[in-house]
Amino acid sequence: MSRRFLFAIILIATTLSPLPSHAADVIRPKVLVIATYETGKDRGDVPGELQYWVERENLDQEIRVPGIDHPILTNGKGLYAMISGTTSRCALSLMALAMDPRFDLRHTYILLSGIGGADPAQITVGSAVWVRRVVDGDPAFEIDHKETPASWPYGIVALGATEPGKIPASESAPAAGVSENGSGGVGRIMFPLNPSLVDWAYGLTRQITLPDSDALAANRAPFKQFPNALAKPTVLEGDSMGADRFWAGAIMTRWAEDWVRLYTRGAGALAIADCEDQGIMLAVERLDRLGRLDPKRLLILRTASNFVEPPPGIAPEKYLFDDLASSPGYLPSLEANYRVGSVVVAELLKNWAKYETQVP
């Protein structure tokens, strides 16, 4: 999706949707949970990312927002939840909500609550990651791997570079063929979250026991070359990479690891991969410029439902197209996300008089 097109939508919406002038008409969520999808109904069937929040927090009141397919849900106690949709297109849903004249999100804490793929070099399936930095995996040059020079490990090259393993000196990526001194570039690739808020959320939840089972143990057992993959699920801090493509395999994992390492200037390492973090970060960045929300109040919690590469002996194409919902890590990852995320949400709501004006 074109970032220029995305920004144009925001500008148009800004002119059409001023913030409400009457205080009594304003909806001011204390906490907004963003789930990226739901598999079916909101209650009582195979769950997606939203269902446990709906069932356990009694989110039974609906608010329809133009531009968003699924209604915003609330329990009337300050907690709201939405389905954003998957891939970077999720940005459009968050923008639609933030630009709705009935809503004021300037003091709202936003929790993106979603699952993703674990890098076995860093974490295991079932673990919960409070994301410190998001790296956008979409803007790039690409050559089919079968046509690349023999010395290239993969066919994906950063904009502004001419071979894998390098990025421009600037944190922002130029558009293809445009110098870094020009305008109209892609923009930021690496998005840091508020480190003090991330540390605070991690501190509240670091000792939570996460679901584990014989099935999860058997699922991680083949990854003998990765000690972290063999460990039991834990809560940790880490970095994510968001990309619109659903990918799998050792070659793509090496690319994703390199991408995160390069764009964090060696400070970060890929922990978990997904399809939406980059879209949410882009929307938050733009909405901050428009005075619609506070990026310092954003948290991303990703729990690992699967590994990003298959165990030895399993072909990547088979692994990629296996049914995720029936895999050993799917339900435990959803349970872990609610179990961890709900602790932070409860603390924010319980002590709102403090957190409304003081970001941890």
Side-chain angles (χ1 to χ4, degrees):
M1 177 181 297
S2 166
R3 293 190 178 195
R4 295 184 191 179
F5 176 68
L6 215 55
F7 192 36
I9 292 175
I10 301 175
L11 290 176
I12 294 171
T14 304
T15 63
L16 298 177
S17 303
L19 286 170
S21 58
H22 301 291
D25 299 331
V26 180
I27 301 172
R28 294 187 174 90
K30 297 175 182 178
V31 179
L32 171 66
V33 172
I34 300 177
T36 69
Y37 76 96
E38 186 52 57
T39 57
K41 298 178 181 179
D42 292 346
R43 297 173 181 267
D45 59 1
V46 177
E49 293 172 348
L50 180 69
Q51 189 167 127
Y52 290 161
W53 290 100
V54 172
E55 293 176 340
R56 300 174 187 182
E57 299 293 337
N58 297 315
L59 303 177
D60 54 7
Q61 302 174 36
E62 296 186 358
I63 304 172
R64 291 285 177 177
V65 173
I68 302 179
D69 294 334
H70 189 282
I72 306 299
L73 301 177
T74 181
N75 56 10
K77 301 177 181 179
L79 176 61
Y80 291 71
M82 69 179 293
I83 293 180
S84 66
T86 58
T87 74
S88 62
R89 299 181 184 193
C90 64
L92 297 175
S93 295
L94 179 56
M95 290 187 294
L97 177 62
M99 306 311 294
D100 189 297
R102 296 169 295 172
F103 285 85
D104 181 353
L105 305 183
R106 290 175 294 176
H107 289 89
T108 301
Y109 289 87
I110 298 175
L111 172 63
L112 174 56
S113 168
I115 60 176
D119 184 347
Q122 297 293 328
I123 67 172
T124 195
V125 168
S127 289
V129 181
W130 289 109
V131 174
R132 296 176 300 204
R133 290 168 286 244
V134 172
V135 178
D136 189 344
D138 287 328
F141 296 117
E142 186 170 7
I143 302 173
D144 189 291
H145 182 68
K146 296 187 291 294
E147 298 180 309
T148 60
S151 61
W152 286 20
Y154 40 77
I156 304 174
V157 179
L159 298 183
T162 57
E163 59 183 307
K166 297 181 179 180
I167 59 171
S170 171
E171 289 186 1
S172 298
V178 179
S179 75
E180 292 191 25
N181 294 322
S183 61
V186 170
R188 183 182 293 274
I189 300 295
M190 192 277 288
F191 300 85
L193 279 77
N194 179 358
S196 63
L197 184 64
V198 174
D199 288 345
W200 172 81
Y202 171 66
L204 286 177
T205 58
R206 60 188 298 269
Q207 295 184 342
I208 292 176
T209 300
L210 301 181
D212 197 12
S213 65
D214 291 342
L216 278 179
N219 181 65
R220 61 185 180 248
F223 291 86
K224 294 181 173 58
Q225 70 272 39
F226 299 113
N228 290 334
L230 299 176
K232 293 184 177 182
T234 58
V235 181
L236 65 150
E237 294 184 25
D239 302 315
S240 77
M241 190 194 76
D244 278 357
R245 294 170 299 174
F246 292 84
W247 54 269
I251 293 174
M252 293 300 293
T253 298
R254 178 174 178 184
W255 159 70
E257 291 173 342
D258 287 350
W259 209 250
V260 172
R261 175 179 54 80
L262 289 167
Y263 277 109
T264 61
R265 309 294 176 178
L270 175 69
I272 197 160
D274 59 83
C275 296
E276 298 82 25
D277 288 359
Q278 80 284 21
I280 292 297
M281 295 305 302
L282 179 60
V284 166
E285 180 186 62
R286 300 300 188 180
L287 290 166
D288 173 42
R289 295 183 190 180
L290 298 170
R292 294 285 174 156
L293 51 71
D294 182 357
K296 296 189 296 295
R297 294 171 183 254
L298 172 67
L299 286 166
I300 298 177
L301 177 63
R302 287 285 178 180
T303 45
S305 58
N306 58 285
F307 290 112
V308 292
E309 63 179 271
I314 302 297
E317 66 273 17
K318 181 182 184 303
Y319 186 73
L320 178 61
F321 298 114
D322 278 348
D323 179 27
L324 177 62
S326 62
S327 67
Y330 181 69
L331 291 178
S333 68
L334 295 174
E335 174 63 37
N337 206 293
Y338 176 79
R339 189 178 297 184
V340 174
S342 62
V343 170
V344 171
V345 169
E347 171 63 20
L348 290 169
L349 295 175
K350 179 182 178 181
N351 294 295
W352 182 247
K354 171 183 177 182
Y355 296 124
E356 180 181 13
T357 57
Q358 300 178 38
V359 179

